[in-house]
Amino acid sequence: METIVEEKRETIVAAEADVVVAGGGPAGLAAAVAAARNGVDVLLVERYGHLGGMATGGLVICLVETDRYGYGICKEVIERLSDLKAATLNKAGGETPIWVEGASLGGEESWNFDPEALKFVADELVTESGADVLLRSLIVKSIVKEKGIQGIILEGKSGRQAILGKVVVDATGDGDVAASSGAPLNLDRHPWGINLEFRIGNVDVETAMQWRKENPEFYGKLMKNLEKDVGKISWGRTVNEGVVWGHGAHFYDVDGLNVQHLTRVEIESRKMIMASLKFFRNNLPGFKNAFLMDTASQTGVRETRRIIGEYTLTKEDALTGRRFDDTIVKGLFDIPYRCLVPKEIDGLLVAGRCISTTHEAQGVIRNIPPCLITGQAAGTAAALAAKKGVKPRKLDVHLLKEALTKQGIKI
């Protein structure tokens, strides 16, 4: 490919912090709050104009597995949403958890929630913790010296800026900081592909749900016809009266790191969603006067990069409920601290869907609640490492577990 040589330039150091958190999705939100609560200076950097990531901008408006990860900051999020009357509980089915490829182990409890309320809750949690936030800032490069990360480079309306930190937490989802730093990585596409979420308003939800329940065969035929013309579209109840949550058709031949591919998904998905809305109005009781409320501002990318960490969680670990001495997240199985520590690069921790797992095991750690908890663990570890002046991989895991236990993390 043709290339150009950029001019040598100096970049202003705009800020320094003990802990820099890259990405303000569920993992980054929790990491920033946990680090600040542990008494260090924290700067959280986010590319969009709000926090919450896929839970807000991505319209993934269901907290799955809250019976397994409903502690720590995840519990706080649920409590605050509930206080705002912005969340409703879906009780666990009670069946034995089974492996679902690309997803959590089945049979879990979940909470539907209002994404706008979560934006508010996220702001509240971060500002109360004392962490600083920088929105509308795209991370473009890691600052690395002698295999140690020293900070990140940003681009935004304020121009190009450097942010320095003693420890950096990569919570970008795609492992952008880790990739730029030279940390070893794996790259895969999720078996469910990529799609765009949406919401439809002014729906008589009770009528629609009851009709679908009473006419399963006819409804199935209708949706098959829609799938032939448009793609596989589905919808369900939300916490908001008169509003349903829609799932756009999935694209499987696309790369979540390729902007041309992502552009195609966005444009084609919106065309499909508008066609689906017309179909719903004409064919489904309760949708006659419905309108498109919004489409997600963030594409539903489930998997791209995963770091190669000091330990790689496997499908067998999840299925056998394996326990570890350095556990920092406990559910049906443990997630060890070593999964957050990339090989070869010091000063860096990773949280969220890009921690060290196999491709098969990634599905059971990528949902919002486990991302909140890995974020809380990474933020706490980063704060302790910064305070003690040690590399995160050298941190005494017993001190980390003690600190997490005090925060209500079940280890």
Side-chain angles (χ1 to χ4, degrees):
M1 297 178 68
E2 184 181 357
T3 62
I4 62 169
V5 178
E6 295 187 73
E7 294 181 8
K8 182 178 179 180
R9 57 186 170 184
E10 293 184 351
T11 301
I12 294 172
V13 176
E16 296 185 40
D18 295 317
V19 175
V20 176
V21 179
L29 158 68
V33 171
R37 288 176 176 176
N38 275 275
V40 297
D41 294 327
V42 179
L43 179 59
L44 172 60
V45 180
E46 166 56 39
R47 62 175 169 157
Y48 290 102
H50 58 81
L51 302 176
M54 291 304 300
T56 53
L59 294 181
V60 181
I61 50 179
C62 186
L63 297 173
V64 181
E65 297 187 283
T66 50
D67 49 340
R68 299 164 189 169
Y69 300 103
Y71 48 80
I73 291 174
C74 182
K75 181 180 179 183
E76 290 184 57
V77 168
I78 294 169
E79 289 173 345
R80 292 188 184 220
L81 287 170
S82 297
D83 287 344
L84 293 171
K85 301 188 184 307
T88 55
L89 173 65
N90 305 305
K91 292 185 178 180
E95 64 268 23
T96 302
I98 58 170
W99 181 268
V100 180
E101 202 67 41
S104 61
L105 289 158
E108 71 279 8
E109 170 191 282
S110 64
W111 286 78
N112 289 348
F113 64 90
D114 179 356
E116 293 302 317
L118 182 55
K119 288 179 185 178
F120 170 78
V121 167
D123 289 343
E124 193 176 57
L125 282 167
V126 171
T127 53
E128 286 177 5
S129 75
D132 290 323
V133 183
L134 199 57
L135 301 176
R136 304 289 182 188
S137 300
L138 181 66
I139 299 161
V140 297
K141 187 179 180 181
S142 299
I143 305 169
V144 180
K145 183 178 180 180
E146 297 177 352
K147 293 286 187 178
I149 193 163
Q150 297 183 321
I152 53 178
I153 302 287
L154 312 177
E155 291 275 12
K157 290 292 185 181
S158 299
R160 192 174 178 91
Q161 300 179 334
I163 307 294
L164 303 182
K166 295 177 183 177
V167 181
V168 176
V169 177
D170 185 345
T172 60
D174 293 316
D176 293 333
V177 176
S180 176
S181 74
L185 301 157
N186 285 310
L187 176 63
D188 280 295
R189 296 182 184 182
H190 194 273
W192 293 6
I194 296 173
N195 71 301
L196 197 69
E197 306 289 83
F198 61 98
R199 291 187 295 175
I200 295 175
N202 202 29
V203 178
D204 184 338
V205 179
E206 295 306 322
T207 294
M209 297 289 287
Q210 185 65 27
W211 180 85
R212 183 170 70 176
K213 181 180 178 181
E214 293 173 353
N215 301 275
E217 291 186 11
F218 184 56
Y219 174 77
K221 289 179 181 178
L222 282 175
M223 298 307 287
K224 282 293 183 182
N225 290 335
L226 176 63
E227 184 176 348
K228 290 176 185 177
D229 295 336
V230 174
K232 191 172 183 179
I233 307 289
S234 59
W235 60 273
R237 190 189 298 273
T238 73
V239 68
N240 301 109
E241 186 175 350
V243 178
V244 298
W245 177 27
H247 311 284
H250 292 232
F251 293 74
Y252 300 98
D253 60 338
V254 289
D255 178 358
L257 300 177
N258 184 307
V259 291
Q260 284 83 12
H261 288 190
L262 293 174
T263 300
R264 176 164 68 89
V265 171
E266 295 261 9
I267 293 173
E268 291 188 15
S269 290
R270 282 190 281 270
K271 286 170 59 178
M272 292 174 174
I273 290 165
M274 287 304 295
S276 300
L277 174 61
K278 182 178 180 181
F279 182 90
F280 290 167
R281 285 172 175 165
N282 292 335
N283 292 280
L284 301 185
F287 281 84
K288 182 179 179 180
N289 299 310
F291 67 93
L292 181 61
M293 186 171 170
D294 52 8
T295 58
S297 59
Q298 295 178 230
T299 318
V301 178
R302 294 172 173 83
E303 182 180 6
T304 51
R305 303 185 187 102
R306 305 182 315 279
I307 65 162
I308 298 175
E310 293 298 328
Y311 183 81
T312 299
L313 191 77
T314 68
K315 177 179 179 179
E316 182 183 7
D317 292 336
L319 286 174
T320 60
R322 186 169 179 185
R323 304 303 175 190
F324 298 91
D325 290 339
D326 61 336
T327 295
I328 42 82
V329 177
K330 196 174 194 69
L332 296 176
F333 55 90
D334 289 357
I335 300 176
Y337 176 58
R338 288 166 291 161
C339 288
L340 280 56
V341 182
K343 289 188 174 182
E344 299 184 15
I345 298 295
D346 283 317
L348 178 65
L349 288 167
V350 178
R353 66 173 168 86
C354 54
I355 67 172
S356 182
T357 71
T358 62
H359 172 55
E360 294 78 14
Q362 193 265 357
V364 294
I365 59 88
R366 68 174 179 83
N367 284 319
I368 296 166
C371 284
L372 284 166
I373 304 303
T374 57
Q376 186 169 357
T380 302
L384 292 176
K387 277 183 175 181
K388 295 184 175 297
V390 300
K391 298 172 181 178
R393 77 179 71 255
K394 298 293 185 181
L395 180 66
D396 184 343
V397 74
H398 298 293
L399 292 177
L400 174 57
K401 292 174 74 169
E402 181 181 347
L404 291 172
T405 300
K406 290 179 180 178
Q407 296 170 34
I409 301 293
K410 297 178 181 179
I411 297 175

